[in-house]
């Protein structure tokens, strides 16, 4: 009887662990989609002429207000003092110095995350 109880208990723990993992993966994906939507809203707020691209004049004007700097820093998950540098670096790396909404989201969706082996591989691939 004690062996049977142990086996049942182990199966329940394993099942619970799998369910927790699946729930965590689902939650991470939902959080990521929400973050993408928030980045899109931020981009649209910066894109005054609704051209689908922003350049240094637009994001510099947007960042003049402290509340906008804080919003951008929070949304991009970088310190407020670095947000202009981050956007400037992104603009400098593009043709013509403008940033499309797709590029903005692609590069900034993971900006505040810790460096992982996956992120290093992504960077290495882009440099080739």
């Amino acid at each position: 009887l004690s062996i049977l109880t142990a086996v049942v208990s182990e199966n329940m723990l394993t099942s619970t662990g799998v369910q927790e993992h699946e729930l965590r993966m689902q939650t991470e994906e939902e959080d990521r989609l929400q973050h993408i939507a928030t980045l899109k809203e931020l981009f649209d707020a910066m894109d005054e002429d609704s051209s689908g691209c922003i350049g240094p004049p637009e994001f510099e004007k947007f960042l003049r207000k402290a509340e906008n700097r804080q919003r951008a820093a929070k949304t991009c998950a970088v310190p407020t003092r670095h947000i202009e540098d981050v956007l400037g670096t992104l603009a400098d790396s593009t043709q013509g110095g403008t940033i499309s909404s797709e590029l903005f989201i692609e590069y900034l969706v993971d900006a505040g995350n810790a460096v992982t082996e996956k992120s290093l591989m992504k960077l290495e691939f882009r440099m080739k």
Side-chain angles (χ1 to χ4, degrees):
L1 183 61
S2 63
I3 292 174
L4 180 60
T5 302
V7 169
V8 169
S9 294
E10 184 178 338
N11 285 341
M12 287 175 59
L13 288 173
T14 301
S15 177
T16 301
V18 169
Q19 289 173 342
E20 287 176 357
H21 176 71
E22 289 174 0
L23 181 60
R24 188 170 44 251
M25 295 294 286
Q26 182 180 357
T27 302
E28 285 177 13
E29 184 60 22
E30 289 169 359
D31 290 348
R32 182 177 175 80
L33 291 174
Q34 179 59 45
H35 189 207
I36 288 170
T38 306
L39 283 167
K40 177 69 173 132
E41 289 171 9
L42 176 65
F43 181 89
D44 290 343
M46 289 185 196
D47 187 15
E48 285 188 329
D49 61 1
S50 301
S51 65
C53 291
I54 58 171
E58 284 178 298
F59 67 74
E60 287 170 0
K61 181 178 178 183
F62 180 82
L63 296 175
R64 282 187 196 129
K65 291 185 179 179
E67 64 194 41
N68 288 345
R69 272 195 311 279
Q70 290 171 342
R71 174 184 174 195
K74 181 179 179 185
T75 302
C76 298
V78 297
T80 305
R81 66 184 180 278
H82 296 308
I83 191 63
E84 197 164 342
D85 290 338
V86 168
L87 295 176
T89 300
L90 187 54
D92 290 345
S93 69
T94 64
Q95 286 285 52
T98 61
I99 308 166
S100 68
S101 65
E102 294 82 15
L103 186 70
F104 182 85
I105 292 168
E106 178 186 346
Y107 277 83
L108 296 175
V109 72
D110 296 317
N113 294 349
V115 175
T116 63
E117 190 167 329
K118 178 183 172 187
S119 62
L120 289 174
M121 288 172 55
K122 212 173 174 181
L123 179 62
E124 189 176 305
F125 178 75
R126 286 183 181 155
M127 291 174 67
K128 290 184 179 181

